[in-house]
Amino acid sequence: MALRLSQTRTLTIPISLPLRHFSSTLDDNGNSDSLPKLEPSNDAELLSQLLIHHHNPYHVMESSLQLHGITLSPNLLNQTLLRLYHSSKVALAFFHYSQFLPTATTTTTTTTYNLIIDILSKVRQFDAAWQLIIEMPQRNVVPNSTTFLILIRRLISAGLTRQAIRAFDDMNSFLDVEKAAMGDIGNANDDFCYLLDTLCKYGYVKVAVEVFNKRKCGFRVNVRMYTILIYGWCKISRIDMAERFLKEMVERGIEPNAVTYNVLLNGICRRASLHPEERFERTIRNAEKVFDEMSERGIEPDVTSFSIVLHVYSRAHKPELTLDKLKMMKEKGICPTVATYTSVVKCLSSCGRMEDAEELLREMVSNGVSPSAATYNCFFKEYRGRKDVDGALRLYRKMKEDGSCVPSMHTYNILVGTFLKLNRLEIVKEIWDDMKASGAGPDLDAYTLLIHGLCEKLKWKEACNLLVEMIEKGLLPQKVTFETLYRGLIQSDMLRTWRRLKKKLDEESITFGSEFHTYHLKPYRR
């Protein structure tokens, strides 16, 4: 057994995980900011790897766990579940196992239940998630609004909007009335806004409007609700409906704020087609009308307002207009943000004005605005187009030396792809090692990119090693990756290598469950 826990060792970690109110804002991956975050934990790493590699799917949990005398603290339980996030069957079995331990009453918290409910809902095991919610009061664990909002978000993301609305209606029958009165569950308006916001973010604005019109009498209708609906209409490019809701909002005596106008402005500008020139000019005219209406209401455009319009100039490849707008912002006393600067840098670099872009980068730093990974990516993409190895490598190493900005996975993937095409494998290795050391990756895209690049260069052994490595990490390769490698090995008369690789894949197939069984490879004839 590659990973073992000592029989005499007791794993205990103190925990303090305050549960914040569930925010209506999701991150880029659609995750909630109220769930516990992944933290360094050697014990959780060991335990999760043990479970992944030695879990028996026909039993509740491996008996080996009992032999090792593990003592679960709430933090260890949560951190292990986080590491099993993409292995829902193992995570659920481990959770059930934890319920039979003597310390279950103190170990399992509402946060733990919320976490396992999110893991199950992510893979659409909604019946199992509901069963856990029903079970919570029986185990003296009180569900909160976060419990239901997690489920609601996952139902909506799966397209099950009616079930999500029913779950919203069922909240009050589960939540503790006394605690609700004390404000522990949060404001009802916030939960209603969350429902509307999630529906709109996933494109179900018509459902959101239907819910709003039917239930608005039971809530204090405010500027936030209307702003969410205006955002929803803008998301599906129905600017006419967004403007109609803005008008309705004003007629009801609810004053729009800068955020409301910025949402409308973003809808007008972000998805607009800017070519030919007439479309660009029409978009700018519509944006200026929003600015005029803001001024009429005494609302000063902020940095977000200017950045949205500035981004339009950047997309239209208008470097002079972009620089003029940036200058106007500064004259009004509005300090550009990193997003503002990045839009200008992107415009300048894509138009071939690298010296001006580099000068703006220096200006950012001197003004105390730290460049983001997206800012550097603008340069790296241009260097890739120019096949400028020296420029890309110089900037990358400068980025590492400064240490003010950590490369994102997108940054690493751009660089790996660039140097692969230029056949600079020694630099690819340096970047790959840096990526691993930083903890940012590699992710599925990075592995896929490098494996396909190695296949193109007929480096089959290295590609096979990477495929095994990604599978052992719990990442399921795309079908095209299997087929590319399979075809290349057969054509290169490396059938024995393929058989060894296929055996390894079969051993690991249990990790991926039913997903892996769709990857049947037909016999290939040379």
Side-chain angles (χ1 to χ4, degrees), residues 1-41:
M1 187 181 292
L3 290 168
R4 303 181 63 247
L5 298 178
S6 170
Q7 293 185 14
T8 58
R9 187 180 181 194
T10 300
L11 301 176
T12 54
I13 302 177
I15 178 175
S16 175
L17 289 174
L19 185 65
R20 295 174 294 169
H21 186 269
F22 202 99
S23 169
S24 63
T25 304
L26 307 179
D27 63 20
D28 294 337
N29 298 317
N31 297 323
S32 160
D33 64 359
S34 66
L35 292 173
K37 305 298 182 185
L38 198 65
E39 299 170 357
S41 173

Side-chain angles (χ1 to χ4, degrees), residues 117 256 354:
I117 287 167
M354 293 296 285

Side-chain angles (χ1 to χ4, degrees), residues 1 3 5 46-55 65:
M1 187 181 292
L3 290 168
L5 298 178
L46 285 168
L47 186 51
S48 61
Q49 290 300 314
L50 176 69
L51 294 171
I52 288 171
H53 288 91
H54 304 286
H55 173 59
L65 282 177

